[in-house]
Amino acid sequence: DLDITAIPLDDQGTYDMLTRGEGNGVFQLESGGMQRVMRNLQPDSIADITALVALYRPGPIGGGMIEEFVDRKHGKKAIAYAHPILEPILKDTYGVILYQEQVMRIATNMAGFKLSEADYLRKAMGKKKKEIIAGYKEQFIEGSIKNGVSRKIATEIFDLMEKFAEYGFNKSHSVAYAFVAYQTAYLKANYTPEYSAALLTSLMDKTDKLVAYIEECRRLGIEVLPPDINESRLDFTVVKGNIRFGLAAVKNVGLAPAKQIV
């Protein structure tokens, strides 16, 4: 029953690193654009990272959804709910319909949809099937009226849900990505040399990326020491807080000779 999205970024090192937008080498959070968004958003929980993963895509970016989300989080724009039924469903996303699962809950809680019907609606919105979405509109409005919602409000909410279909994402996917993003950020913030060595090792055959992450190590004050016949292993290894270059990453040496040397 644990809602991992409610977990705060209570490790100060991780929080400081992410709010400074230092996501190099962090799963899902390392693009330049994502780092700018993190500086603006100042994420303080896995819920915020979950939202970022869902928002940082062409549809939401083009529609100004990221700016709207950031402004609502920081109180620059009011968080409003078209009906009180929506508040517990949309509270975590500051009143913005962001996930397909939220659409399902609105359909069941407000309009009395069966879970199977709500799932069909979710799938239709996920695949942008407008004719199927339109077919559910009257059922949604009539069901909402039975629950004491006016036709006008019910229509407005369904129209919002239709607009959501242009950018909607499933939360279950975002949560899994966000949790791994948090884990990698925590390791980078708290075990920086070890995490950096593991990252470099994973990219030994990608020279361009290797160069970029070696530069990141230098920025963090970690020296990447040259290969040493007596000290290097196959992989990049941590030596007294710095990183020793792995023999398997040396150009034109090859894995078999490197193993023999080790």
Side-chain angles (χ1 to χ4, degrees), residues 154-169:
T155 304
E156 286 175 5
I157 291 169
F158 193 87
D159 289 343
L160 269 177
M161 288 161 61
E162 265 193 299
K163 188 174 187 304
F164 153 89
E166 296 170 14
Y167 60 81
F169 204 69

Side-chain angles (χ1 to χ4, degrees), residues 102-113 118 121 140 161:
Q102 289 174 320
V103 163
M104 290 177 68
R105 284 187 64 197
I106 293 169
T108 54
N109 293 13
M110 177 173 281
F113 274 48
L121 178 60
F140 181 89
M161 288 161 61

